[in-house]
Amino acid sequence: MERQLTRIEVYCVFFSALYSALAFDALFKGRYKLYYYGSDAGVHYIDFVFRLSLYPLTCLVFLNMYPLRSSRKIQVLYFIGVVLLATLMEWGLLQLSVINYDGWRLYYTPLKYSLIFFLVFLNWIVTKKFARQRYA
């Protein structure tokens, strides 16, 4: 895949995705105990694997392939497609018992991913703007 993101964008996207994932998991997994990774609700290494790799890498691919020069309609369809793909991936992890629901419902997941991807997208746009100002 051709790289479209600059190094500063990759850095900022990685940490904004990581922060978003940690915030959502702290709220929905930690505070309300609606889902957990692994075989029980305790903290496991798989928690760290998901937070440190899956969320940030998914967001990097999402933004690297984002159709920035396309029409707004194509951008919205791309966004919806990525959210549905992330939901499908979570459904697969649910079927494999990698993630388990304890009050969470699969139909909440597209809302969660929509918000995460939107926040990461906004951070990317702001990062691009600041990077242009820095080097202008």
Side-chain angles (χ1 to χ4, degrees):
M1 170 180 359
E2 184 180 331
R3 190 177 84 155
Q4 297 180 26
L5 302 175
T6 64
R7 284 184 280 173
I8 191 69
E9 290 172 344
V10 169
Y11 180 82
C12 289
V13 166
F14 183 87
F15 284 103
S16 69
L18 183 59
Y19 177 79
S20 297
L22 288 172
F24 275 86
D25 282 349
L27 180 63
F28 295 121
K29 180 184 177 290
R31 173 83 168 112
Y32 295 110
K33 301 185 185 341
L34 296 177
Y35 59 88
Y36 56 92
Y37 303 112
S39 58
D40 59 48
V43 176
H44 300 284
Y45 289 114
I46 196 165
D47 289 326
F48 296 108
V49 170
F50 276 99
R51 287 184 183 98
L52 294 175
S53 63
L54 188 62
Y55 287 118
L57 294 176
T58 301
C59 288
L60 284 170
V61 171
F62 160 65
L63 291 176
N64 195 55
M65 297 177 67
Y66 191 84
L68 198 56
R69 292 178 181 84
S70 297
S71 69
R72 185 74 59 195
K73 180 180 178 181
I74 297 296
Q75 291 177 9
V76 169
L77 289 174
Y78 175 79
F79 187 87
I80 291 169
V82 169
V83 167
L84 292 177
L85 181 62
T87 302
L88 181 64
M89 288 174 27
E90 185 166 312
W91 176 82
L93 294 173
L94 182 64
Q95 299 307 307
L96 295 171
S97 296
V98 173
I99 188 170
N100 295 285
Y101 293 164
D102 195 18
W104 189 261
R105 301 288 178 256
L106 187 62
Y107 56 86
Y108 302 160
T109 302
L111 297 172
K112 177 181 94 168
Y113 285 123
S114 293
L115 193 53
I116 288 174
F117 286 134
F118 184 70
L119 291 173
V120 170
F121 176 79
L122 284 179
N123 185 56
W124 178 51
I125 296 300
V126 169
T127 300
K128 288 173 76 66
K129 180 180 177 183
F130 287 161
R132 277 194 305 267
Q133 288 176 354
R134 167 76 168 93
Y135 298 111

